[in-house]
Amino acid sequence: MAVALALLAAMSALSSCTSPATAELTRHEHPVAAGAPLRLLVVGDWGRKGGYNQTRVAEQMGKVAEETEIDFVVSTGDNFLENGLAGVDDMAFHDSFMDVYTAQSLHKPWYLVLGNHDYRGNVLAQIDPALRKIDSRFICMRSFIVSAGIVDFFFVDTTPFQLQYWTDPGEDHYDWRGVAPRDAYIANLLEDVDAAMKKSTATWKIAVGHHTMRSVSAHGDTQELLELLLPVLKENGVDFYINGHDHCLEHISSRNSPIQYFTSGGGSKAWRGIFQQNEDKLQFFYDGQGFLSLELSENRARFAFYDVFGEALYHWSFSKANLQKVQSSASVTEE
């Protein structure tokens, strides 16, 4: 913690000399009926023009969304693979989004963060409000807040944290317009996120990013996030961190804080066959395609992972009243 705060202080000093003053994160108010639970789906790493079972995952999402009467969908990034959007008129927007998630139950707001593959395209196009005129569901920004009654979702732009994308991108090109210089951008973002979380009076605080904080799959832990972002989440009592990036479904519990980590990155291509243990407690791991369902009431959060066949693989619930996990069960069906 001390090292992370020292790094943040140094970066903040740099930002004051090289970039404009920080500003409050954009807040989007999502209306929720008083006393009603909030229900949503989370999917990531999906944009492959229907390929790699993206269409089949979308079909199952539509069925679960109808059964649970969801309020909205969260995307954990890599919305358009492999190289983002070329412009606001890129047909990939139709081929990977509009023409795939066609179920009426999925015609709800979609709140999306950017992934590293999105940064390989025209980022300014993907966050352009012009896309909302094409499909009003699509609400994509770098970092922002969705306030939904008892829950505040803090969407964090995690791609700039990854130093390798800046120093050793290989043949990939990243669109750093509006981001460079890196240190100043990250320092300002952390300050904005910290300020927003401190102001929040929501019962639940949930952070959403593309990159893993903790993961046992191909990408593993993201050290830059553990060093810089995690201390901010811990200090502000964030309940859950939800991400994509690794093409799998997983739940990991922190051993030194109440934070729970959920990966929902199985929206299309998966099955990497990689497992690497980390320091925290693995609750569930499925190296395959699927998505996450989440229901939140005043005192309880309920999570469920579904596979490409619509089978519920894992259920986990958490009681806010006593800060204890009250139910955990898992069943994975072999293909």
Side-chain angles (χ1 to χ4, degrees):
M1 174 70 82
V3 174
L5 293 177
L7 285 170
L8 178 56
M11 294 170 68
S12 296
L14 175 64
S15 71
S16 65
C17 301
T18 59
S19 67
T22 58
E24 289 188 0
L25 297 180
T26 299
R27 178 180 294 272
H28 186 96
E29 298 287 343
H30 187 98
V32 179
L38 179 73
R39 299 184 177 97
L40 60 137
L41 300 183
V42 183
V43 65
D45 303 84
W46 41 267
R48 296 183 184 274
K49 300 181 180 180
Y52 293 94
N53 281 342
Q54 183 193 359
T55 299
R56 294 183 67 177
V57 173
E59 290 173 355
Q60 299 304 329
M61 287 176 62
K63 293 177 181 178
V64 173
E66 183 177 6
E67 293 170 0
T68 59
E69 298 182 340
I70 65 166
D71 294 280
F72 54 82
V73 178
V74 165
S75 171
T76 57
D78 277 2
N79 308 313
F80 301 98
L81 295 138
E82 294 286 332
N83 296 304
L85 292 178
V88 294
D89 57 352
D90 191 332
M91 286 306 296
F93 186 71
H94 295 262
D95 297 339
S96 289
F97 179 64
M98 295 179 65
D99 296 344
V100 175
Y101 302 101
T102 56
Q104 189 60 39
S105 59
L106 297 177
H107 279 258
K108 301 292 178 68
W110 282 58
Y111 300 111
L112 308 95
V113 289
L114 297 166
N116 53 298
H117 284 275
D118 299 311
Y119 261 95
R120 294 180 189 176
N122 184 338
V123 169
L124 300 186
Q126 193 170 157
I127 63 176
D128 194 322
L131 292 180
R132 298 185 208 174
K133 296 180 180 179
I134 301 173
D135 191 320
S136 61
R137 296 179 292 174
F138 195 86
I139 303 171
C140 184
M141 291 175 269
R142 293 191 197 271
S143 297
F144 60 106
I145 303 167
V146 173
S147 183
I150 60 172
V151 191
D152 276 347
F153 292 86
F154 301 89
F155 291 77
V156 182
D157 184 20
T158 60
T159 299
F161 284 81
Q162 286 268 37
L163 186 59
Q164 182 179 352
Y165 299 152
W166 297 80
T167 61
D168 187 21
E171 297 180 358
D172 299 320
H173 168 78
Y174 291 88
D175 183 2
W176 297 128
R177 290 176 296 170
V179 174
R182 172 182 177 270
D183 289 352
Y185 179 80
I186 292 174
N188 286 339
L189 175 56
L190 291 173
E191 185 176 334
D192 294 342
V193 170
D194 181 61
M197 288 180 173
K198 281 181 166 54
K199 290 181 181 178
S200 174
T201 59
T203 302
W204 300 96
K205 295 180 184 179
I206 300 176
V208 179
H210 174 64
H211 290 79
T212 58
M213 191 79 71
R214 291 292 197 189
S215 174
V216 299
S217 192
H219 291 104
D221 299 346
T222 303
Q223 291 304 317
E224 294 91 337
L225 295 185
L226 293 176
E227 293 172 5
L228 297 172
L229 181 58
L230 182 57
V232 176
L233 305 189
K234 287 183 175 180
E235 182 175 331
N236 289 288
V238 168
D239 299 289
F240 313 118
Y241 177 75
I242 303 176
N243 61 270
H245 198 44
D246 266 336
H247 300 177
C248 62
L249 308 174
E250 59 185 329
H251 172 205
I252 295 174
S253 296
S254 172
R255 293 187 185 276
N256 58 18
S257 80
I259 293 180
Q260 306 290 321
Y261 307 106
F262 291 89
T263 296
S264 183
S268 58
K269 187 177 181 180
W271 305 109
R272 291 187 170 181
I274 298 175
F275 178 89
Q276 49 182 330
Q277 189 60 269
N278 64 27
E279 297 177 359
D280 281 334
K281 183 178 181 180
L282 179 63
Q283 303 281 10
F284 172 77
F285 174 65
Y286 180 66
D287 186 21
Q289 296 144 336
F291 57 96
L292 174 66
S293 170
L294 173 56
E295 176 182 303
L296 294 140
S297 60
E298 186 70 34
N299 292 317
R300 193 176 298 276
R302 293 180 172 88
F303 292 79
F305 280 120
Y306 291 85
D307 69 8
V308 67
F309 305 106
E311 184 77 21
L313 302 177
Y314 176 78
H315 294 274
W316 185 86
S317 71
F318 182 87
S319 172
K320 194 74 168 179
N322 56 19
L323 297 180
Q324 291 181 350
K325 182 182 69 173
V326 296
Q327 179 182 351
S328 179
S329 63
S331 60
V332 178
T333 303
E334 298 290 338
E335 290 190 25

